[in-house]
Amino acid sequence: MKKALIATTALVAAGFATTATAAEWSTNVTGYYFLGLGASDNSNADGIGVLRDGEAHVRAKLVADNGITFQARIELEAFTSGDQIDENYGTISGSFGTILIGANDSAAYNNHVGTIYAPGARIGYYDSFRLFGGAGTNGTFSDPGVANDDIAIHYTSPSLSGFKVYGSYHPDANTDGGNDSNNPVFENGDYWTAGASYNGNFGDVGFGLSAGYTDDFGGTDTINIGANVSASGFTVAGTYNVDNPAGANNKADTVAVGAQYSTGPWTIGGGYRDHEGLGEQGAAWVTYGLAPGVLFTAGVEYSDADAAAGSDFGGLAYLTMRF
């Protein structure tokens, strides 16, 4: 009773005080599972590989009588991991926008629009789970913005004719995975992100544009720009990413382009990324819808590092089951 009274008082103080007693919470469990076989020619991961990956997502939602929506989400890994609980957060949304508190990717990352993804990003050319960890494939130059699930507070504005702004503040850059905490998190290597995006249609042509900025207060700044255009089943997307642009000696540009075509149950996609001074990577895949929520994907990846580590090549075929 005491906790309920405190929660009610907090909502009144925040200006949300209207009747919210008639609505009830709805809760469901969703998730996915990946099953596959891969092959790789790489010094760190050579030969035949087996893929098994999955998550269960617990979701709860309440739409109050005053129109404010409350949601909670907890993602559980389907395997033993030091990051057993993945994204986990709560949101409050309404005409004022959406406030999110919890562990989630940064606002700049979540709103990026310039990448083409295979199902689950299990194979790809940029911002994907790679088949191998060798030449040119390290994640240090893969992410648009910051993709760690550090505890943070996020804000996303309402969409105005397809345009919105957003930002997130992460007080501690070390609260992902096993360092997650249920205690208040204070400044200890903090960073913030901000950005804006537009998504809309011009007749039969869809168009998206995003721009994000990340500052970790330690001198490593990132600017990321993404764009996509879609029409008649075709989608083309591009990304330009600059790490640490304030320091000319450390400046590193990443350019990535991708495309896909969908018709009926078939989708064909792929792309190419070049990272200045580190290497390049390409991927291509084809996906077929076998049944509702079930996809089959087969694809290949290639990377070539600028350093002496050499090149890598691999392929993966896998089922995606979403429930």
Side-chain angles (χ1 to χ4, degrees), residues 3-263:
K3 290 183 178 179
L5 178 60
I6 292 174
T8 302
T9 304
L11 289 176
V12 172
F16 299 147
T18 55
T19 302
T21 57
E24 295 183 358
W25 284 90
S26 62
T27 305
N28 59 42
V29 177
T30 62
Y32 65 80
Y33 223 93
F34 296 115
L35 305 171
L37 292 174
S40 175
D41 179 13
N42 171 263
S43 58
N44 295 326
D46 194 13
I48 303 300
V50 177
L51 168 67
R52 184 270 292 150
D53 180 27
E55 289 186 358
H57 302 166
V58 181
R59 305 166 184 249
K61 180 178 181 180
L62 168 69
V63 180
D65 290 348
N66 55 18
I68 297 173
T69 299
F70 302 85
Q71 297 187 77
R73 176 167 175 157
I74 302 171
E75 300 184 2
L76 307 172
E77 299 288 358
F79 56 92
T80 302
S81 168
D83 190 12
Q84 197 68 58
I85 306 295
D86 204 6
E87 279 95 342
N88 55 95
Y89 53 81
T91 65
I92 304 172
S93 58
S95 59
F96 51 85
T98 298
I99 299 171
L100 180 153
I101 295 179
N104 195 16
D105 299 323
S106 75
Y109 178 87
N110 274 332
N111 289 279
H112 173 71
V113 302
T115 303
I116 301 292
Y117 291 98
R122 294 306 318 190
I123 191 166
Y125 61 97
Y126 182 67
D127 182 36
S128 63
F129 295 96
R130 283 159 187 76
L131 297 183
F132 27 65
T137 64
N138 293 327
T140 52
F141 58 89
S142 66
D143 297 330
V146 177
N148 294 328
D149 297 327
D150 295 315
I151 296 173
I153 180 169
H154 299 234
Y155 172 73
T156 303
S157 74
S159 177
L160 179 62
S161 299
F163 177 81
K164 62 183 178 179
V165 296
Y166 38 81
S168 58
Y169 174 67
H170 309 251
D172 189 342
N174 302 295
T175 55
D176 190 13
N179 293 321
D180 210 344
S181 173
N182 62 344
N183 291 319
V185 175
F186 298 97
E187 292 184 17
N188 180 29
D190 54 341
Y191 64 94
W192 61 271
T193 75
S197 65
Y198 173 80
N199 288 278
N201 295 291
F202 298 93
D204 295 330
V205 179
F207 179 76
L209 181 66
S210 65
Y213 176 77
T214 301
D215 187 339
D216 72 355
F217 297 103
T220 305
D221 303 336
T222 300
I223 294 175
N224 185 273
I225 299 172
N228 63 59
V229 178
S230 59
S232 302
F234 289 94
T235 301
V236 178
T239 293
Y240 177 64
N241 191 91
V242 183
D243 293 322
N244 207 11
N249 294 331
N250 299 318
K251 182 179 179 181
D253 297 348
T254 300
V255 177
V257 293
Q260 75 174 20
Y261 174 68
S262 297
T263 177

